[in-house]
Amino acid sequence: MDKTAPLIDPFARAITYLRVSVTDRCDFRCVYCMAENMTFLPKADLLTLEELDRMCTTFVRLGVEKLRITGGEPLVRKGIMTFFRAMSRHLDSGALKELTLTTNGSQLAKHAADLAACGVRRINVSLDTLDPEKFAQITRWGRLPQVLDGIAAAQAAGLRVKINAVALKGFNEDEQFSITQWCADNGHDLTWIEVMPMGDLGNENRLDQYWSLRDLRARYADRFTLTDLTERSGGPARYVRLEDTGQKIGFITPLTHNFCESCNRVRLTCTGELYMCLGQEDMADLRAPLRASADDEALATAIRAAIRHKPKGHDFDYSHTGVAGQMTRHMSHTGG
Ligand code: SAM
Ligand code: SF4
């Protein structure tokens, strides 16, 4: 086989987008994402920064054009800026079209300028509420002013910021329009994410938190003229434009729409497991072939073998009474 042949899965989808979780740790404990007392992975299990470089570089050689760094909180990983600097060489060579990250924003004030210098142009910042008390409640350990300072620093550094807000019933329903207005005032795109049945439900049954984006969209339609935009990211996001303000609003509805046919992405965990689908347990261990040999060809072969197992779609289903397709993984493990 041609060593540089692109990654094509069994359903003829080209895999051009890799999301990489660089740590399972976080300085927040968002209630829908983590338990308060999380046990994190032993450091030896994590890919080193050099291993992450080899891994990502091999994916880029196999045709990945977009790299999203996530976690846990990617900016709490020690030395992470070294990794961003290293990845910027793939932007310089033209092999990589986009290097980006998803962050809770807490460390942005420190790193925004460096990220911009590494060629990062757009970032996603997760922010579910603009009320300091509610923010402390939902993130348990987070502080809103720190995140707002981080967002301001990102903008000052020239980064475009997209806000991702998890839609939570009884929590931020009343902020739908104030968050939308704040994003408009500050020039941020906004995407709402439906809460997904990830992790250990424990006492917090995520069905209780489930706020359908269909409802959210209907509430926008009551107030604004909406135009459906046809652009797709290859992922679960759909977009509308609020004609009255010109604002673009995204909806990530993995549970109510089937987006799998256009899926172009795979996810690498911080321990080197490759998940072919967010909604399936099936994964391939890439750390073993990576550590077994200094030859990146063995790794490339393992990646190709894994892609041949990418499933057609996910099994999530919130039908009626229970949560079918319930995943036992936490979002911080695969990086969302
Ligand atoms: N720490 C970073 C952050 O919060 O942006 C990156 C990792 S976080 C796991 C990535 C995204 O997953 C965040 O936007 C977060 O809101 C979302 N997320 C976490 N748990 C979720 C859940 N159960 N359902 C839907 N989205 C979730
Ligand atoms: Fe941390 Fe992001 Fe999970 Fe919140 S959603 S606990 S910030 S990893």
Side-chain angles (χ1 to χ4, degrees):
M1 173 181 286
D2 175 1
K3 284 185 176 173
T4 58
L7 295 171
I8 307 284
D9 82 357
F11 303 95
R13 296 169 298 195
I15 306 306
T16 55
Y17 180 7
L18 177 67
R19 299 171 73 110
V20 185
S21 171
V22 294
T23 177
D24 61 331
R25 289 164 200 257
C26 188
D27 52 347
F28 291 3
R29 289 290 181 279
C30 303
V31 298
Y32 48 72
C33 179
M34 291 193 185
E36 182 138 32
N37 300 308
M38 290 288 286
T39 310
F40 293 111
L41 295 163
K43 292 236 162 69
D45 285 358
L46 261 61
L47 299 181
T48 64
L49 296 175
E50 292 74 18
E51 287 173 331
L52 280 167
D53 187 331
R54 270 185 72 195
M55 200 69 99
C56 294
T57 298
T58 304
F59 271 99
V60 169
R61 184 162 61 80
L62 297 179
V64 161
E65 296 179 336
K66 177 170 175 178
L67 211 50
R68 178 176 295 281
I69 309 307
T70 175
E73 174 46 42
L75 297 181
V76 303
R77 169 88 195 241
K78 211 169 151 204
I80 194 63
M81 291 315 300
T82 308
F83 172 73
F84 273 101
R85 271 188 288 278
M87 287 303 104
S88 70
R89 74 182 185 276
H90 299 308
L91 288 172
D92 295 341
S93 78
L96 193 62
K97 304 245 174 353
E98 185 170 14
L99 175 62
T100 184
L101 73 155
T102 300
T103 173
N104 65 23
S106 70
Q107 308 300 314
L108 269 179
K110 212 182 321 171
H111 295 303
D114 281 347
L115 288 168
C118 292
V120 173
R121 294 286 167 260
R122 308 187 293 177
I123 60 173
N124 289 356
V125 180
S126 305
L127 180 62
D128 306 327
T129 173
L130 290 168
D131 175 319
E133 275 170 30
K134 281 164 75 178
F135 188 86
Q137 187 193 332
I138 200 81
T139 62
R140 292 202 189 97
W141 296 2
R143 296 296 167 260
L144 182 64
Q146 191 180 343
V147 171
L148 296 181
D149 287 350
I151 292 172
Q155 282 195 299
L159 300 175
R160 269 198 71 78
V161 176
K162 178 163 81 80
I163 300 296
N164 280 340
V166 176
L168 295 161
K169 194 174 187 170
F171 178 76
N172 55 11
E173 276 170 299
D174 57 339
E175 289 187 83
Q176 177 175 349
F177 296 111
S178 50
I179 291 174
T180 304
Q181 187 59 48
W182 178 81
C183 286
D185 293 345
N186 290 282
H188 308 311
D189 285 332
L190 169 63
T191 291
W192 293 95
I193 309 176
E194 216 160 52
V195 73
M196 284 191 272
M198 307 292 286
D200 174 15
L201 284 184
N203 295 328
E204 298 149 18
N205 187 336
R206 284 185 181 78
L207 271 180
D208 291 344
Q209 301 174 337
Y210 178 69
W211 174 21
S212 154
L213 297 196
R214 209 175 291 237
D215 180 49
L216 212 132
R217 190 186 187 289
R219 288 169 53 162
Y220 275 125
D222 281 345
R223 193 175 289 210
F224 301 103
T225 305
L226 306 190
T227 303
D228 284 306
L229 302 177
T230 50
E231 72 187 77
R232 298 299 305 272
S233 57
R238 287 177 191 275
Y239 300 93
V240 300
R241 190 170 45 240
L242 310 182
E243 292 301 343
D244 317 62
T245 65
Q247 225 177 332
K248 194 172 89 169
I249 309 282
F251 300 98
I252 298 188
T253 54
L255 303 165
T256 50
H257 285 287
N258 201 337
F259 56 89
C260 304
E261 71 282 354
S262 61
C263 184
N264 60 355
R265 62 198 59 192
V266 288
R267 295 174 163 80
L268 185 72
T269 71
C270 53
T271 57
E273 295 164 344
L274 187 71
Y275 280 86
M276 268 59 75
C277 172
L278 186 58
Q280 300 273 1
E281 295 285 2
D282 192 31
M283 60 87 172
D285 173 24
L286 296 180
R287 189 181 59 189
L290 179 90
R291 290 189 175 169
S293 154
D295 175 11
D296 290 340
E297 259 347 284
L299 176 61
T301 303
I303 292 172
R304 287 191 191 285
I307 299 297
R308 280 198 286 277
H309 288 108
K310 186 166 163 66
K312 193 168 182 193
H314 64 63
D315 290 336
F316 285 137
D317 180 10
Y318 267 123
S319 47
H320 316 304
T321 51
V323 183
Q326 169 76 45
M327 301 298 301
T328 50
R329 268 182 352 249
H330 279 266
M331 198 74 144
S332 53
H333 188 60
T334 41

